[in-house]
Amino acid sequence: MSASDGARLPVTGAQLVAAARRAREHARAEYSKFKVGAALETADGSVVTGCNIENATYGLTICAERVAMFKALSEGHRAFTRIAIVADTAAPTPPCGACRQILWEFGGNLEVTLANLTEHIGTHRLEDLLPLPFDSRLL
Ligand code: THU
């Protein structure tokens, strides 16, 4: 089955956040104890989730956002619209610099929704989170 098979009903923002909350439960955050979930919406309306995955080297940790994007790319998805990111904190958890770069390169100017376990905290455009990006247009 390819990434574009099947018609899908539109996903609401609340459903995208709910998917990120569920994905967060799978986080492997034994070292930081900071669990993050992400839900990436594709242009055809699919939702691909991710969670952060830490390991004993610490440095090979991968964030929830990149897990979601790499999963989606590996399944054949090529166009994206929104991502929801969830952590269990009062303050928003915005994507780290590495994730901003990867989301920009493969997802473009995504709508980025930040939420915690109970509330929606904010919505941004990725171009505002990553001004003056380096990308393939400059190569
Ligand atoms: N983390 C994410 O997964 N996404 C973010 O947006 C911020 C940070 C993870 C990486 C690490 O496993 C833990 O949160 C603490 O930095």
Side-chain angles (χ1 to χ4, degrees):
M1 192 159 135
S2 86
S4 56
D5 287 344
R8 290 176 184 82
L9 293 172
V11 174
T12 66
Q15 287 171 327
L16 199 64
V17 168
R21 287 184 182 132
R22 287 193 298 273
R24 180 183 164 277
E25 293 301 317
H26 300 297
R28 298 298 307 269
E30 283 82 349
Y31 303 97
S32 74
K33 313 292 184 198
F34 193 83
K35 293 183 174 186
V36 184
L40 178 65
E41 182 189 53
T42 71
D44 70 3
S46 306
V47 174
V48 182
T49 61
C51 60
N52 54 327
I53 301 176
E54 301 177 352
N55 68 93
T57 70
Y58 294 19
L60 293 178
T61 290
I62 181 165
C63 297
E65 298 91 321
R66 273 176 290 153
V67 170
M69 179 57 84
F70 292 152
K71 277 176 64 183
L73 292 170
S74 75
E75 292 168 10
H77 297 286
R78 289 295 180 265
F80 306 94
T81 48
R82 294 183 288 175
I83 188 167
I85 304 164
V86 166
D88 184 13
T89 53
T93 296
C96 76
C99 287
R100 291 179 199 205
Q101 179 71 24
I102 292 298
L103 292 175
W104 176 262
E105 282 208 51
F106 294 107
N109 191 22
L110 293 171
E111 184 182 281
V112 180
T113 290
L114 308 176
N116 61 26
L117 300 193
T118 53
E119 294 180 302
H120 169 266
I121 307 177
T123 298
H124 307 268
R125 278 284 167 186
L126 190 57
E127 67 180 1
D128 299 321
L129 301 181
L130 188 66
L132 201 61
F134 175 80
D135 59 32
S136 62
R137 294 174 299 183
L138 302 174
L139 293 175

